[in-house]
Amino acid sequence: MHLNRLKRLKIKLTTEKDFSDIWLFYVDNFMNKPEFTAAGHPVQKEELHEILKQTCRYMLGRKIKIYNFLTFHIPDYQFFHGAFHIDSGLGGMIYYEDIEMGLLALTEVCDYGVVKYSRFTMANRVLIKDPYEHN
């Protein structure tokens, strides 16, 4: 496995119109590969967690909670990847810090086999008040 493929993944992330092609490239080339897992280290990145939570809520149209959010960082490529649970399913994400762009993939238990994707950016972001939060 060649980590240089992360450069190709970044190009796909910024140019590809079919988000499933981006995700499948990631899965086929990196996911569950011991060398890939060993190249990164676990991190906490709160602003990434917040933008993912907002994006998930927007995609699903309801209040959700993210559980077991595991994020890994490969500093040489300014690349983050991770997985998490939501109340009704699973999610995964990739993110490039240098271009402030990532991709989110969600699947819900009730929609088995259906994957929803969203490309997101943290450039010029303004975290908005969540319409599903009650004070």
Side-chain angles (χ1 to χ4, degrees):
M1 187 206 65
H2 298 283
L3 285 179
N4 281 337
R5 290 185 186 154
L6 286 170
K7 293 176 184 175
R8 186 163 168 217
L9 179 61
K10 184 192 295 186
I11 292 168
K12 290 179 88 49
L13 177 63
T14 59
T15 60
E16 183 65 53
K17 290 178 178 37
D18 184 344
F19 297 163
S20 66
D21 285 347
I22 302 166
W23 191 253
L24 290 176
F25 183 85
Y26 168 68
V27 169
D28 291 345
N29 287 279
F30 302 106
M31 195 176 274
N32 298 321
K33 305 264 196 278
E35 314 89 65
F36 178 67
T37 305
H41 62 276
V43 295
Q44 294 269 344
K45 190 163 176 69
E46 191 58 37
E47 59 271 14
L48 186 55
H49 184 269
E50 285 302 315
I51 201 79
L52 289 176
K53 186 166 61 170
Q54 250 188 25
T55 305
C56 287
R57 289 177 178 179
Y58 177 78
M59 289 170 69
L60 300 175
R62 67 177 188 280
K63 181 179 178 178
I64 60 101
K65 190 165 188 169
I66 293 178
Y67 303 92
N68 304 321
F69 185 41
L70 300 172
T71 309
F72 296 88
H73 185 219
I74 302 176
D76 290 346
Y77 292 88
Q78 298 184 44
F79 180 74
F80 293 82
H81 63 100
F84 54 90
H85 291 95
I86 58 173
D87 52 355
S88 59
L90 302 170
M93 68 89 198
I94 58 173
Y95 175 73
Y96 285 90
E97 190 169 38
D98 57 333
I99 60 170
E100 297 184 303
M101 185 180 289
L103 182 73
L104 172 65
L106 286 178
T107 185
E108 292 188 279
V109 175
C110 62
D111 283 337
Y112 183 75
V114 175
V115 181
K116 298 175 183 175
Y117 301 98
S118 180
R119 187 163 30 206
F120 65 91
T121 181
M122 294 205 324
N124 301 319
R125 77 186 185 289
V126 175
L127 293 176
I128 58 172
K129 179 168 175 37
D130 190 335
Y132 300 103
E133 288 292 330
H134 301 291
N135 293 335

